[in-house]
Amino acid sequence: MPHGTRQEISLSALCGRQIAEHLFLRLPYEACGVLRGKATAGGMRIDTFVPMRNVAPDPLHRFVLHPEDWIKECLRSDGLIGLFHSHPHSLPFPSEEDLQQLPLFADLLRIYMIGSPDETNEKVQLNGYSILKGMDGLYTLQPAMVKHG
């Protein structure tokens, strides 16, 4: 992908609804889950959202994927491409904590999505990011375009 080009993440309507439902059901805590799909011309297509349990000691401010759930998803052979989690009390931009945790699973994933309730608490603001590994071995998140439908 040329530098400066934003990858496109295509999210099926069903996955968009499932993510929103999971986010709102888990409030006021952070929600999390894995994204399954495949690479397409110019980006990624998400076909499946798998909700996961957040076992963080402080689920109001961080997420930790339930180890059994995570291992089960990693062992499935098809289409693990990304991770979703919510920021229930802030905008859907990577936090310092998100960036510190990224190396724990970035080798297995291509995209990272963060969702937050909008001002009305009725819809989800969803931001997507491509996971990039630099020549120095460090990971960064590059904003991507999220296309719904």
Side-chain angles (χ1 to χ4, degrees):
M1 182 168 49
H3 186 67
T5 304
R6 290 178 71 172
Q7 182 178 53
E8 185 174 278
I9 298 170
S10 179
L11 182 67
S12 75
L14 175 61
C15 287
R17 286 192 303 273
Q18 290 171 329
I19 286 170
E21 183 177 295
H22 187 57
L23 182 150
F24 286 115
L25 281 173
R26 298 289 171 253
L27 287 175
Y29 303 113
E30 288 198 17
C32 53
V34 298
L35 306 165
R36 302 188 89 78
K38 56 184 170 275
T40 62
M44 295 285 170
R45 170 139 187 94
I46 300 169
D47 299 313
T48 307
F49 171 66
V50 182
M52 302 192 77
R53 293 175 279 176
N54 179 355
V55 295
D58 180 14
L60 281 171
H61 301 105
R62 63 185 302 236
F63 76 98
V64 174
L65 301 169
H66 187 283
E68 273 181 46
D69 294 353
W70 174 239
I71 290 168
K72 187 171 104 183
E73 288 303 315
C74 288
L75 293 175
R76 282 184 55 194
S77 60
D78 60 324
L80 176 64
I81 60 167
L83 190 63
F84 162 81
H85 82 281
S86 65
H87 285 180
H89 312 289
S90 62
L91 294 172
F93 298 106
S95 67
E96 198 57 45
E97 177 84 20
D98 294 338
L99 297 173
Q100 287 173 4
Q101 285 194 58
L102 192 58
L104 299 176
F105 40 75
D107 272 340
L108 301 169
L109 307 172
R110 309 264 303 270
I111 57 177
Y112 194 76
M113 296 189 84
I114 305 171
S116 300
D118 70 1
E119 311 79 45
T120 65
N121 249 4
E122 292 175 13
K123 291 185 179 170
V124 173
Q125 292 177 282
L126 196 59
N127 285 344
Y129 302 88
S130 300
I131 298 172
L132 304 176
K133 188 173 188 176
M135 300 294 274
D136 55 6
L138 300 177
Y139 294 96
T140 58
L141 295 174
Q142 179 182 31
M145 291 187 309
V146 179
K147 191 172 99 185
H148 299 270

